[in-house]
């Protein structure tokens, strides 16, 4: 079986998608989970893009040691120096240098001739290689580039020291047969194709990113670049979970394998949507809520007789366990920890403690606590930050014949502060009362609510996004009461905003 390298770019290309920005702590948390997932390369960011990007690549390079860590750079010295500085101290760093090769990019964006671009690639790849043993060169918009020119640039990059040559379908224009052909063509025309790894990086503008990546692999690519949940610029990148599970489920067809720990897939997907507040569509392959749900009677009957009738891969293989959970208010710490352990969580003591406290409170309100409830509790405890304002109590009055009023009491430095406000509805009124206590107002950019599980006593999870200047700050709240979940989410975001200011 050919081993395919999985190059994860969730923290770089993925983070560029609207609504998916993450702060440094969130990036580190996700990078740690990607390490557990077993990806080969984590592209941690684009260090020259901003001081925050630089810091997050730096901290990930310091903390995450068992994957190769990549930093993106344009083919210019300043970018390469900056990325190299951010990667310092990592045992297996990678400088990822890119420059466009299509005529449209050369003319309309770079204002350079083909000769100038070729010279720049030679010089900058050699510059990067003199600093770092691992250099990848990406020919941006490769799929729309003149093939012979593309090969000429790749040849130069390889000669200058690049060990990986990446063929991006930057605008998601290619079709699978073309992608496979393109990789074969590059491989057939390089002087030393066996001394370099060919890579593919496909965008999803026509919904073919995964198919194109797999086709590129069939054409000879040894590395696939992808993102968790397929997040990324515009319509996104190729989805990691779909690629990995296609390779595994159809291993006879592809003759390939990856080093990904597939049981970590669902948790990684969940962690990303919890961090970004961008939920996964229910019909999303592999990780969507309905990916393993059988609704029609005929299907249910078939699955009961033999799962293979309608199920091509077991949900457990991606870490989705059916609700075998029986934790309730009488369950103790031991049972709680054991269940988390079975679900694959290895949590620091402080997070475990916080999660257990929340579990006890939840078990008092809910008959049974499901695995999904536990996942939500753990994520909310992980993102617990030092609270400037703590919710003490609230009272809401609302109805069709009165305007909604909220009385909110918060605790700050041991002192109780209370305010009343009227609003368009109970949540608006509560948020306004909080604004009055905090004496600041952060525009609300987004509000989303979803139930974690089914049933009347389901846990509601609210994600709010507020604006502090240009920066989007995400807050989360969890409760069986949706107004409480909303208040907690808003307060969580406010606490982050005031802590950072
Ligand atoms: O889509 C693209 O071309 C890229 C490159 C920087 C690899 O993201
Ligand atoms: Zn890209």
């Amino acid at each position: 079986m050919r081993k395919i390298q999985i190059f994860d770019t969730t923290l770089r290309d993925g983070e560029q998608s609207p609504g998916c920005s993450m702060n440094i702590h969130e990036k580190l948390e996700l990078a740690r989970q990607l390490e557990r997932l077993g990806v080969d390369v984590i592209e941690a960011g684009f260090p020259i893009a901003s001081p925050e990007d630089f810091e997050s690549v730096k901290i990930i390079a310091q903390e995450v040691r068992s994957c190769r860590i990549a930093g993106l750079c344009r083919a210019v010295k300043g970018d390469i120096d900056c990325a190299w500085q951010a990667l310092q101290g990592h045992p297996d760093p990678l400088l990822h240098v890119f420059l466009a090769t299509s005529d449209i990019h050369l003319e309309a964006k770079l204002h350079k001739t083909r000769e100038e671009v070729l010279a720049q690639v030679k010089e900058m790849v050699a510059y990067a290689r003199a600093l770092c043993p691992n250099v990848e060169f990406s020919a941006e918009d490769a799929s729309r580039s003149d093939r012979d020119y593309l090969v000429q640039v790749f040849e130069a990059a390889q000669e200058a020291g690049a060990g990986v040559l990446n063929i991006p379908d930057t605008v998601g224009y290619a079709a699978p047969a073309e992608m496979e052909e393109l990789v074969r063509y590059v491989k057939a025309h390089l002087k030393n194709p066996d001394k370099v790894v060919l890579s593919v990086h496909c965008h999803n503008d026509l919904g073919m990113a995964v198919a194109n990546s797999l086709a590129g692999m069939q054409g000879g690519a040894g590395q696939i670049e992808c993102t968790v949940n397929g997040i990324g610029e515009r319509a996104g990148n190729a989805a990691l979970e779909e690629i990995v599970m296609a390779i595994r489920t159809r291993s006879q067809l592809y003759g390939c394998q990856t080093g990904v720990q597939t049981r970590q897939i669902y948790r990684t997907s969940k962690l990303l949507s919890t961090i970004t507040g961008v939920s996964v569509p229910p019909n999303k392959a592999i990780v969507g809520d309905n990916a393993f749900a059988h609704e029609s009677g005929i299907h249910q009957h078939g699955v009961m007789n033999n799962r293979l009738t309608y199920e091509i891969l077991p949900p457990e293989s991606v870490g989705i366990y059916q609700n075998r959970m029986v934790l309730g208010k009488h369950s103790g710490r031991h049972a709680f920890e054991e269940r988390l352990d079975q679900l694959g969580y290895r949590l620091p003591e402080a997070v475990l403690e916080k999660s257990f406290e929340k579990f006890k409170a939840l078990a008092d309100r809910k008959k049974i606590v499901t695995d999904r409830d536990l996942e939500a509790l753990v994520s909310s405890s992980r993102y617990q930050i030092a609270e400037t304002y703590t919710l003490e109590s609230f009272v809401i009055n609302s109805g069709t014949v009165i305007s909604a009023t909220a009385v909110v009491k918060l605790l700050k430095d041991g002192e109780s502060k209370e305010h009343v406000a009227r609003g368009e509805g109970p949540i608006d009124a509560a948020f306004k009362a909080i604004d009055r206590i905090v004496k600041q107002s952060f525009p609300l950019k987004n509000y989303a609510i979803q139930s974690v599980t089914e049933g009347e006593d389901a846990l509601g999870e609210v994600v709010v996004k507020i604006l502090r200047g240009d920066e989007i700050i995400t807050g989360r709240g969890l409760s069986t009461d949706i107004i409480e979940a909303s208040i907690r989410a808003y307060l969580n975001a406010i606490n982050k905003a005031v802590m950072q200011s």
Side-chain angles (χ1 to χ4, degrees):
M1 287 258 184
R2 203 154 60 90
K3 162 103 196 288
I4 302 299
Q5 304 279 323
I6 296 296
F7 177 117
D8 179 276
T9 182
T10 310
L11 292 166
R12 198 277 298 171
D13 223 349
E15 211 242 351
Q16 281 171 224
S17 58
C20 288
S21 58
M22 299 171 229
N23 68 32
I24 192 161
H25 308 288
E26 294 167 336
K27 284 185 184 175
L28 179 59
E29 174 85 34
L30 188 67
R32 289 203 169 110
Q33 178 58 27
L34 290 170
E35 187 180 33
R36 277 191 285 272
L37 181 65
V39 302
D40 300 282
V41 186
I42 296 175
E43 185 162 54
F46 189 3
I48 196 84
S50 69
E52 293 75 36
D53 250 59
F54 177 87
E55 280 308 317
S56 32
V57 175
K58 190 170 162 191
I59 192 149
I60 290 169
Q62 278 162 6
E63 302 281 327
V64 178
R65 311 297 280 184
S66 58
C67 304
R68 179 169 284 185
I69 305 291
L72 184 69
C73 17
R74 288 166 299 183
V76 292
K77 281 189 180 166
D79 282 32
I80 296 171
D81 289 338
C82 179
W84 182 235
Q85 211 188 323
L87 293 169
Q88 279 312 295
H90 191 272
D92 193 13
L94 172 85
L95 285 173
H96 180 188
V97 179
F98 77 99
L99 190 59
T101 48
S102 66
D103 287 337
I104 176 142
H105 277 236
L106 263 62
E107 282 156 27
K109 189 181 81 175
L110 302 173
H111 309 295
K112 289 195 171 177
T113 64
R114 287 186 180 183
E115 290 68 34
E116 284 169 327
V117 165
L118 183 64
Q120 190 177 342
V121 170
K122 277 186 196 166
E123 191 190 344
M124 288 302 117
V125 171
Y127 183 76
R129 182 64 185 80
L131 298 172
C132 180
N134 306 307
V135 175
E136 167 170 331
F137 172 71
S138 283
E140 193 188 6
D141 208 16
S143 56
R144 293 194 301 167
S145 302
D146 176 82
R147 283 188 174 190
D148 293 327
Y149 178 61
L150 180 65
V151 171
Q152 205 184 346
V153 173
F154 277 154
E155 194 64 60
Q158 188 181 357
E159 261 173 40
V164 181
L165 300 175
N166 184 31
I167 309 174
D169 181 29
T170 303
V171 289
Y173 182 73
E178 287 173 325
M179 204 63 200
E180 177 175 349
E181 230 286 284
L182 178 59
V183 179
R184 279 192 203 288
Y185 187 88
V186 170
K187 211 174 167 85
H189 289 81
L190 285 174
K191 287 192 197 117
N192 287 306
D194 300 332
K195 296 213 165 72
V196 78
V197 175
L198 292 184
S199 167
V200 285
H201 173 116
C202 300
H203 280 265
N204 205 31
D205 300 66
L206 293 174
M208 293 194 281
V210 170
N212 283 339
S213 306
L214 296 168
M217 176 183 82
Q218 287 182 295
Q223 173 174 286
I224 298 181
E225 304 195 353
C226 46
T227 60
V228 176
N229 296 343
I231 65 166
E233 283 276 8
R234 308 181 307 278
N237 288 56
L240 178 148
E241 58 282 359
E242 295 178 25
I243 287 167
V244 168
M245 292 316 288
I247 293 174
R248 182 177 146 145
T249 310
R250 303 303 312 274
S251 60
Q252 299 287 343
L253 173 74
Y254 293 124
C256 293
Q257 62 184 9
T258 72
V260 168
Q261 302 297 317
T262 61
R263 284 178 186 263
Q264 293 287 339
I265 283 182
Y266 182 67
R267 190 154 323 117
T268 313
S269 158
K270 244 337 208 201
L271 178 64
L272 178 66
S273 53
T274 308
I275 288 174
T276 57
V278 176
S279 49
V280 170
N283 62 331
K284 164 86 179 60
I286 313 296
V287 290
D289 276 353
N290 296 344
F292 297 96
H294 303 281
E295 184 74 22
S296 98
I298 295 174
H299 288 208
Q300 287 172 349
H301 187 204
V303 170
M304 277 190 286
N305 288 343
N306 181 344
R307 274 169 90 164
L308 295 179
T309 48
Y310 288 102
E311 226 168 67
I312 57 165
L313 54 114
E316 297 79 18
S317 66
V318 294
I320 299 178
Y321 302 96
Q322 305 311 335
N323 287 329
R324 283 177 284 113
M325 221 323 322
V326 282
L327 289 187
K329 65 193 270 184
H330 301 297
S331 308
R333 169 99 184 209
H334 184 71
F336 172 76
E337 279 185 31
E338 201 168 284
R339 187 68 201 137
L340 285 182
D341 195 60
Q342 284 162 0
L343 290 172
Y345 285 103
R346 311 279 176 276
L347 299 175
E349 189 50 39
V351 179
L352 202 59
E353 189 58 48
K354 195 86 220 161
S355 306
F356 185 63
E357 271 171 34
K358 288 190 176 180
F359 161 72
K360 281 312 239 184
L362 180 65
D364 271 344
R365 293 163 96 165
K366 213 170 172 282
K367 282 193 266 331
I368 56 161
V369 179
T370 66
D371 287 350
R372 298 239 167 143
D373 291 327
L374 282 186
E375 307 243 1
L377 284 185
V378 170
S379 331
S380 75
S381 311
R382 264 187 175 139
Y383 295 106
Q384 202 78 35
I385 45 145
E387 289 185 332
T388 309
Y389 297 95
T390 316
L391 177 65
E392 235 191 317
S393 64
F394 69 91
V395 176
I396 303 283
N397 248 316
S398 159
T400 48
V401 288
I402 51 163
S403 47
T405 323
V407 184
V408 179
K409 211 189 258 188
L410 303 181
L411 204 62
K412 184 183 182 226
D413 301 328
E415 202 187 316
S416 239
K417 292 173 187 276
E418 184 180 286
H419 253 288
V420 186
R422 263 201 254 169
E424 291 302 319
I427 292 168
D428 184 46
F431 288 5
K432 285 194 170 118
I434 293 174
D435 287 348
R436 287 188 184 161
I437 298 174
V438 174
K439 297 198 183 79
Q440 285 189 67
S441 158
F442 300 94
L444 183 65
K445 190 164 172 3
N446 201 10
Y447 170 94
I449 181 162
Q450 63 172 6
S451 76
V452 175
T453 43
E454 297 94 42
E456 283 167 12
D457 59 357
L459 255 188
E461 183 175 44
V462 173
V463 176
V464 298
K465 293 189 185 230
I466 60 170
L467 280 177
R468 203 188 54 158
D470 287 343
E471 193 192 351
I472 299 173
I473 299 176
T474 307
R476 285 176 204 86
L478 204 62
S479 172
T480 47
D481 173 335
I482 56 166
I483 297 187
E484 183 181 331
S486 307
I487 292 176
R488 290 194 182 281
Y490 192 59
L491 215 49
N492 181 242
I494 298 255
N495 276 322
K496 286 184 188 170
V498 295
M499 186 177 73
Q500 289 163 17
S501 58

